[in-house]
Amino acid sequence: MIEVRRLGPQIGAEVQGIDVRTLDDAAFAVVYRAWLDSNVLVVRGQEDLQIEDFLRYSRRFGLVQPHPSKTTRHPDYPEITLLGVNKFGPDGALDMAIYRRGAEGWHTDGAYDQEPFKATQLYALAVPSRGGDTHFASMYAAYDALPQGLKRRLEDHRGAFTYGGRRKATALLNEEDRDWTPVYHPIIRTHPETGRKGLYFDPGKILRIEGLEERESDEMIEELTGRMIQPGAEYRHKWRKGDIVIWDNRCSYHRAAGDYPPEEDRIHWRVSIKEHAVAGMATAI
Ligand SMILES: O=C(O)CCC(=O)C(=O)O
Ligand SMILES: [Fe+2]
Protein backbone atom coordinates (compact mmCIF):
# COMPACT_ATOMS: atom_id res chain seq x y z
CA MET A 1 0.00 0.00 0.00
CA ILE A 2 1.67 3.26 -1.18
CA GLU A 3 1.42 6.21 1.14
CA VAL A 4 2.64 9.74 0.51
CA ARG A 5 3.43 11.82 3.57
CA ARG A 6 4.30 15.51 3.36
CA LEU A 7 7.52 16.42 5.15
CA GLY A 8 7.22 20.22 5.05
CA PRO A 9 4.46 22.73 4.26
CA GLN A 10 5.76 23.57 0.76
CA ILE A 11 8.52 21.15 -0.05
CA GLY A 12 9.43 17.53 0.71
CA ALA A 13 7.42 14.31 0.74
CA GLU A 14 8.11 10.73 1.73
CA VAL A 15 6.72 7.73 -0.10
CA GLN A 16 6.17 4.74 2.12
CA GLY A 17 5.37 1.15 1.32
CA ILE A 18 7.43 0.68 -1.82
CA ASP A 19 10.43 -1.30 -2.97
CA VAL A 20 12.03 0.61 -5.86
CA ARG A 21 13.12 -2.67 -7.45
CA THR A 22 9.59 -3.93 -8.02
CA LEU A 23 7.50 -0.83 -8.66
CA ASP A 24 4.93 -1.20 -11.45
CA ASP A 25 3.99 1.68 -13.76
CA ALA A 26 0.89 2.69 -11.82
CA ALA A 27 2.84 2.86 -8.58
CA PHE A 28 5.65 4.76 -10.27
CA ALA A 29 3.11 7.30 -11.54
CA VAL A 30 2.12 7.99 -7.91
CA VAL A 31 5.78 8.41 -6.98
CA TYR A 32 6.46 10.73 -9.92
CA ARG A 33 3.40 12.87 -9.20
CA ALA A 34 4.36 13.16 -5.53
CA TRP A 35 7.83 14.25 -6.60
CA LEU A 36 6.51 16.95 -8.97
CA ASP A 37 4.18 18.21 -6.25
CA SER A 38 6.81 18.34 -3.52
CA ASN A 39 10.15 19.02 -5.33
CA VAL A 40 12.05 16.62 -3.05
CA LEU A 41 11.03 13.01 -2.62
CA VAL A 42 12.32 10.62 0.01
CA VAL A 43 12.13 6.84 -0.10
CA ARG A 44 13.56 5.19 2.99
CA GLY A 45 14.52 1.64 3.80
CA GLN A 46 15.95 0.58 0.41
CA GLU A 47 18.79 -1.43 1.94
CA ASP A 48 21.09 -3.59 -0.17
CA LEU A 49 20.36 -2.01 -3.55
CA GLN A 50 22.72 -2.99 -6.33
CA ILE A 51 24.02 -0.29 -8.66
CA GLU A 52 21.94 -1.79 -11.48
CA ASP A 53 18.78 -1.51 -9.34
CA PHE A 54 19.52 2.11 -8.57
CA LEU A 55 20.23 2.93 -12.22
CA ARG A 56 17.11 1.14 -13.43
CA TYR A 57 14.93 3.06 -10.97
CA SER A 58 16.69 6.36 -11.77
CA ARG A 59 16.12 5.93 -15.50
CA ARG A 60 12.37 6.00 -14.93
CA PHE A 61 12.73 9.71 -14.08
CA GLY A 62 14.63 10.64 -17.21
CA LEU A 63 17.93 10.31 -18.97
CA VAL A 64 20.75 9.34 -16.62
CA GLN A 65 23.99 11.02 -17.73
CA PRO A 66 27.58 10.95 -16.50
CA HIS A 67 28.55 14.03 -14.49
CA PRO A 68 31.39 16.21 -15.88
CA SER A 69 33.54 15.53 -12.80
CA LYS A 70 35.41 12.48 -14.14
CA THR A 71 37.61 11.92 -11.09
CA THR A 72 34.62 11.15 -8.86
CA ARG A 73 32.88 8.77 -11.25
CA HIS A 74 32.47 5.13 -10.30
CA PRO A 75 35.22 3.25 -12.18
CA ASP A 76 32.79 0.75 -13.75
CA TYR A 77 29.62 2.86 -13.96
CA PRO A 78 30.33 6.36 -15.34
CA GLU A 79 26.74 7.45 -14.65
CA ILE A 80 27.35 6.95 -10.92
CA THR A 81 29.15 9.72 -9.07
CA LEU A 82 30.66 8.62 -5.77
CA LEU A 83 30.16 11.18 -3.02
CA GLY A 84 32.46 11.07 0.00
CA VAL A 85 34.88 8.50 -1.48
CA ASN A 86 38.68 9.17 -1.53
CA LYS A 87 38.26 12.00 0.97
CA PHE A 88 41.84 11.68 2.15
CA GLY A 89 44.76 12.23 -0.20
CA PRO A 90 47.90 10.02 -0.28
CA ASP A 91 49.47 12.38 2.30
CA GLY A 92 46.51 11.83 4.64
CA ALA A 93 45.17 15.37 4.20
CA LEU A 94 41.42 15.89 3.97
CA ASP A 95 40.40 16.86 0.42
CA MET A 96 38.01 19.74 1.08
CA ALA A 97 36.58 19.68 -2.46
CA ILE A 98 35.31 16.15 -1.74
CA TYR A 99 34.44 16.60 1.93
CA ARG A 100 32.57 19.86 1.36
CA ARG A 101 31.10 19.02 -2.04
CA GLY A 102 27.79 20.85 -2.36
CA ALA A 103 28.34 22.65 0.94
CA GLU A 104 29.68 25.98 -0.30
CA GLY A 105 26.24 27.45 -0.67
CA TRP A 106 22.68 27.01 -1.91
CA HIS A 107 22.67 25.87 -5.52
CA THR A 108 20.91 23.94 -8.24
CA ASP A 109 22.76 21.21 -10.13
CA GLY A 110 23.77 21.61 -13.75
CA ALA A 111 22.96 25.30 -14.36
CA TYR A 112 26.21 25.35 -16.38
CA ASP A 113 24.67 23.07 -19.01
CA GLN A 114 22.53 24.18 -21.92
CA GLU A 115 20.05 21.65 -20.65
CA PRO A 116 20.46 21.67 -16.85
CA PHE A 117 19.85 18.54 -14.83
CA LYS A 118 16.21 17.86 -14.36
CA ALA A 119 16.91 15.90 -11.21
CA THR A 120 19.63 14.59 -8.97
CA GLN A 121 19.13 11.40 -7.02
CA LEU A 122 21.22 10.10 -4.11
CA TYR A 123 21.37 6.72 -2.41
CA ALA A 124 22.92 6.57 1.05
CA LEU A 125 25.44 3.77 1.63
CA ALA A 126 27.10 5.13 4.77
CA VAL A 127 25.87 7.80 7.15
CA PRO A 128 27.92 9.54 9.86
CA SER A 129 26.90 9.48 13.52
CA ARG A 130 26.14 13.21 13.44
CA GLY A 131 25.84 16.04 10.92
CA GLY A 132 25.87 15.54 7.16
CA ASP A 133 22.27 16.59 6.50
CA THR A 134 21.13 17.96 3.15
CA HIS A 135 19.06 21.16 3.07
CA PHE A 136 16.46 21.96 0.42
CA ALA A 137 14.43 25.05 -0.43
CA SER A 138 11.76 25.94 -2.99
CA MET A 139 12.39 28.13 -6.04
CA TYR A 140 8.65 28.62 -6.39
CA ALA A 141 8.49 30.19 -2.93
CA ALA A 142 11.47 32.40 -3.78
CA TYR A 143 9.70 33.62 -6.92
CA ASP A 144 6.36 34.12 -5.19
CA ALA A 145 8.02 36.25 -2.51
CA LEU A 146 9.73 38.63 -4.97
CA PRO A 147 8.34 42.16 -5.01
CA GLN A 148 6.15 42.81 -8.07
CA GLY A 149 8.56 45.37 -9.51
CA LEU A 150 11.47 42.96 -9.32
CA LYS A 151 9.46 40.15 -10.89
CA ARG A 152 8.65 42.43 -13.82
CA ARG A 153 12.24 43.64 -14.10
CA LEU A 154 13.66 40.11 -14.17
CA GLU A 155 11.09 38.67 -16.54
CA ASP A 156 13.16 39.51 -19.64
CA HIS A 157 16.60 38.76 -18.27
CA ARG A 158 18.77 35.72 -18.63
CA GLY A 159 21.66 34.71 -16.47
CA ALA A 160 25.04 33.54 -17.81
CA PHE A 161 26.25 30.43 -15.95
CA THR A 162 29.43 28.34 -15.90
CA TYR A 163 30.58 25.37 -13.82
CA GLY A 164 32.99 27.37 -11.66
CA GLY A 165 31.05 30.65 -11.65
CA ARG A 166 32.74 33.83 -10.50
CA ARG A 167 34.89 31.93 -7.99
CA LYS A 168 36.17 29.55 -10.71
CA ALA A 169 35.61 26.63 -8.33
CA THR A 170 36.69 23.80 -10.63
CA ALA A 171 38.77 21.56 -8.32
CA LEU A 172 36.73 18.46 -9.15
CA LEU A 173 37.15 18.85 -12.92
CA ASN A 174 40.05 17.57 -14.98
CA GLU A 175 42.26 20.33 -16.40
CA GLU A 176 40.97 19.82 -19.96
CA ASP A 177 37.34 20.14 -18.81
CA ARG A 178 37.70 23.51 -17.09
CA ASP A 179 37.16 25.83 -20.02
CA TRP A 180 33.39 26.27 -19.91
CA THR A 181 31.58 28.55 -22.28
CA PRO A 182 28.76 30.31 -20.44
CA VAL A 183 25.20 29.16 -21.09
CA TYR A 184 22.10 31.30 -20.67
CA HIS A 185 18.92 30.57 -18.74
CA PRO A 186 15.97 32.78 -17.90
CA ILE A 187 16.16 33.93 -14.26
CA ILE A 188 12.41 33.55 -14.02
CA ARG A 189 12.02 30.05 -15.33
CA THR A 190 8.78 28.21 -15.96
CA HIS A 191 8.86 24.57 -14.92
CA PRO A 192 8.14 22.52 -18.06
CA GLU A 193 5.92 20.02 -16.24
CA THR A 194 4.13 21.97 -13.50
CA GLY A 195 3.90 25.29 -15.38
CA ARG A 196 4.88 27.14 -12.18
CA LYS A 197 7.42 29.94 -12.15
CA GLY A 198 10.54 29.80 -10.03
CA LEU A 199 13.55 31.99 -9.29
CA TYR A 200 16.15 30.02 -11.24
CA PHE A 201 19.32 31.15 -9.62
CA ASP A 202 22.66 29.84 -8.42
CA PRO A 203 25.09 32.32 -6.86
CA GLY A 204 28.04 29.92 -7.24
CA LYS A 205 27.54 29.40 -11.00
CA ILE A 206 26.13 32.68 -12.26
CA LEU A 207 28.62 35.04 -13.92
CA ARG A 208 26.33 37.95 -14.74
CA ILE A 209 22.84 38.92 -15.65
CA GLU A 210 22.48 39.69 -19.33
CA GLY A 211 21.48 43.23 -20.22
CA LEU A 212 22.70 44.80 -16.96
CA GLU A 213 25.86 46.84 -16.45
CA GLU A 214 28.52 44.97 -14.51
CA ARG A 215 27.90 46.82 -11.25
CA GLU A 216 24.13 46.53 -11.58
CA SER A 217 24.49 42.84 -12.36
CA ASP A 218 26.69 42.25 -9.29
CA GLU A 219 24.20 44.11 -7.11
CA MET A 220 21.32 42.12 -8.51
CA ILE A 221 23.18 38.84 -7.91
CA GLU A 222 23.73 39.98 -4.33
CA GLU A 223 20.08 40.88 -3.90
CA LEU A 224 18.77 37.64 -5.40
CA THR A 225 21.15 35.58 -3.27
CA GLY A 226 19.39 37.09 -0.25
CA ARG A 227 15.95 36.24 -1.63
CA MET A 228 16.44 32.54 -2.40
CA ILE A 229 15.43 31.01 0.90
CA GLN A 230 11.96 31.68 2.23
CA PRO A 231 10.69 30.78 5.71
CA GLY A 232 8.45 27.73 5.64
CA ALA A 233 9.74 26.63 2.24
CA GLU A 234 12.64 24.48 3.42
CA TYR A 235 13.17 20.80 4.13
CA ARG A 236 16.18 19.32 5.87
CA HIS A 237 16.97 15.68 5.26
CA LYS A 238 18.60 13.63 7.98
CA TRP A 239 20.08 10.64 6.22
CA ARG A 240 19.71 6.99 7.15
CA LYS A 241 21.49 4.19 5.35
CA GLY A 242 19.24 2.91 2.55
CA ASP A 243 17.56 6.29 1.88
CA ILE A 244 16.93 7.43 -1.66
CA VAL A 245 16.30 11.14 -2.16
CA ILE A 246 15.54 12.77 -5.49
CA TRP A 247 15.27 16.52 -5.98
CA ASP A 248 13.99 18.61 -8.84
CA ASN A 249 16.70 21.05 -9.95
CA ARG A 250 14.14 23.04 -11.94
CA CYS A 251 12.32 24.19 -8.82
CA SER A 252 14.53 23.66 -5.78
CA TYR A 253 17.84 24.71 -4.29
CA HIS A 254 19.92 22.52 -2.03
CA ARG A 255 23.14 22.47 -0.08
CA ALA A 256 25.05 19.91 1.95
CA ALA A 257 25.65 20.81 5.58
CA GLY A 258 29.34 19.83 5.23
CA ASP A 259 29.69 19.47 8.99
CA TYR A 260 30.08 15.76 9.82
CA PRO A 261 33.13 14.26 11.55
CA PRO A 262 35.59 13.89 8.64
CA GLU A 263 37.02 10.63 9.98
CA GLU A 264 33.59 9.02 9.59
CA ASP A 265 32.14 7.73 6.32
CA ARG A 266 29.36 9.57 4.50
CA ILE A 267 28.97 7.86 1.16
CA HIS A 268 26.34 8.18 -1.54
CA TRP A 269 25.81 7.03 -5.07
CA ARG A 270 24.56 9.92 -7.14
CA VAL A 271 22.98 10.13 -10.56
CA SER A 272 22.37 13.22 -12.67
CA ILE A 273 19.16 13.04 -14.68
CA LYS A 274 18.19 15.04 -17.74
CA GLU A 275 14.78 15.63 -19.24
CA HIS A 276 13.18 13.15 -21.61
CA ALA A 277 9.88 11.34 -21.91
CA VAL A 278 9.08 9.47 -18.71
CA ALA A 279 8.51 5.76 -19.14
CA GLY A 280 5.09 4.55 -18.10
CA MET A 281 3.55 7.99 -17.60
CA ALA A 282 1.39 8.14 -20.72
CA THR A 283 -0.91 5.36 -19.64
CA ALA A 284 -0.55 5.75 -15.90
CA ILE A 285 -1.70 9.35 -15.55
O1 LIG B 1 25.93 15.57 -0.33
C1 LIG B 1 24.91 16.26 -0.31
O2 LIG B 1 24.20 16.36 0.68
C2 LIG B 1 24.48 17.00 -1.55
C3 LIG B 1 25.66 17.36 -2.39
C4 LIG B 1 25.23 18.06 -3.65
O3 LIG B 1 25.10 19.25 -3.70
C5 LIG B 1 24.94 17.25 -4.84
O4 LIG B 1 25.11 16.04 -4.79
O5 LIG B 1 24.52 17.83 -5.84
FE1 LIG C 1 24.39 19.87 -5.69
Side-chain angles (χ1 to χ4, degrees):
M1 187 50 197
I2 299 191
E3 264 182 71
V4 180
R5 186 172 75 90
R6 288 211 77 95
L7 295 170
Q10 300 196 48
I11 183 169
E14 180 182 350
V15 179
Q16 291 170 324
I18 64 164
D19 177 336
V20 299
R21 290 172 298 196
T22 55
L23 214 52
D24 64 20
D25 283 351
F28 180 70
V30 174
V31 168
Y32 194 84
R33 187 73 249 166
W35 175 61
L36 281 184
D37 289 345
S38 64
N39 310 18
V40 181
L41 193 80
V42 174
V43 186
R44 293 204 189 259
Q46 307 298 299
E47 306 271 343
D48 305 320
L49 273 199
Q50 302 299 307
I51 288 191
E52 296 288 357
D53 299 323
F54 182 56
L55 284 174
R56 204 172 306 114
Y57 175 62
S58 298
R59 288 191 190 111
R60 299 178 84 168
F61 288 90
L63 195 63
V64 173
Q65 286 216 325
H67 188 274
S69 169
K70 293 181 183 142
T71 52
T72 55
R73 287 181 189 168
H74 188 290
D76 302 323
Y77 295 90
E79 305 99 319
I80 298 278
T81 302
L82 297 169
L83 300 184
V85 171
N86 295 332
K87 242 177 354 192
F88 295 99
D91 56 353
L94 182 63
D95 182 335
M96 294 308 270
I98 292 183
Y99 173 69
R100 286 189 53 82
R101 189 171 197 166
E104 296 313 324
W106 290 99
H107 65 280
T108 174
D109 295 333
Y112 48 79
D113 259 2
Q114 198 60 57
E115 191 202 325
F117 300 138
K118 167 186 186 176
T120 304
Q121 178 152 263
L122 264 54
Y123 175 63
L125 293 122
V127 172
S129 59
R130 61 196 153 84
D133 297 350
T134 309
H135 298 254
F136 298 95
S138 166
M139 282 184 189
Y140 299 141
Y143 171 76
D144 291 344
L146 291 177
Q148 275 309 328
L150 193 51
K151 278 184 186 163
R152 264 197 307 275
R153 186 152 173 238
L154 288 169
E155 201 64 58
D156 307 322
H157 287 297
R158 298 187 308 170
F161 299 87
T162 58
Y163 184 99
R166 291 174 299 168
R167 283 184 290 126
K168 298 196 170 40
T170 53
L172 293 173
L173 293 183
N174 289 352
E175 202 69 57
E176 70 276 14
D177 295 329
R178 289 183 183 176
D179 179 24
W180 287 81
T181 308
V183 297
Y184 294 86
H185 302 297
I187 298 281
I188 306 298
R189 194 166 184 264
T190 302
H191 191 292
E193 291 182 89
T194 67
R196 292 184 64 186
K197 286 180 179 177
L199 174 63
Y200 189 79
F201 188 67
D202 185 330
K205 300 193 192 87
I206 196 160
L207 293 174
R208 60 182 176 275
I209 296 173
E210 218 186 12
L212 300 186
E213 295 295 330
E214 190 176 334
R215 202 170 57 87
E216 240 187 330
S217 169
D218 285 343
E219 282 167 8
M220 182 65 87
I221 289 172
E222 194 73 21
E223 163 149 24
L224 294 179
T225 303
R227 293 184 179 276
M228 290 166 75
I229 311 308
Q230 295 302 319
E234 284 188 68
Y235 167 66
R236 170 179 179 169
H237 188 70
K238 286 192 176 304
W239 290 93
R240 291 183 215 147
K241 189 170 176 292
D243 285 358
I244 297 180
V245 176
I246 183 166
W247 61 85
D248 190 332
N249 287 301
R250 304 164 298 179
C251 58
S252 63
Y253 316 109
H254 63 281
R255 70 179 173 86
D259 61 349
Y260 67 98
E263 66 282 5
E264 292 187 23
D265 276 342
R266 179 187 189 269
I267 296 176
H268 293 88
W269 290 334
R270 183 180 75 179
V271 286
S272 305
I273 303 173
K274 296 231 170 174
E275 260 152 11
H276 90 150
V278 176
M281 292 298 289
T283 49
I285 281 192

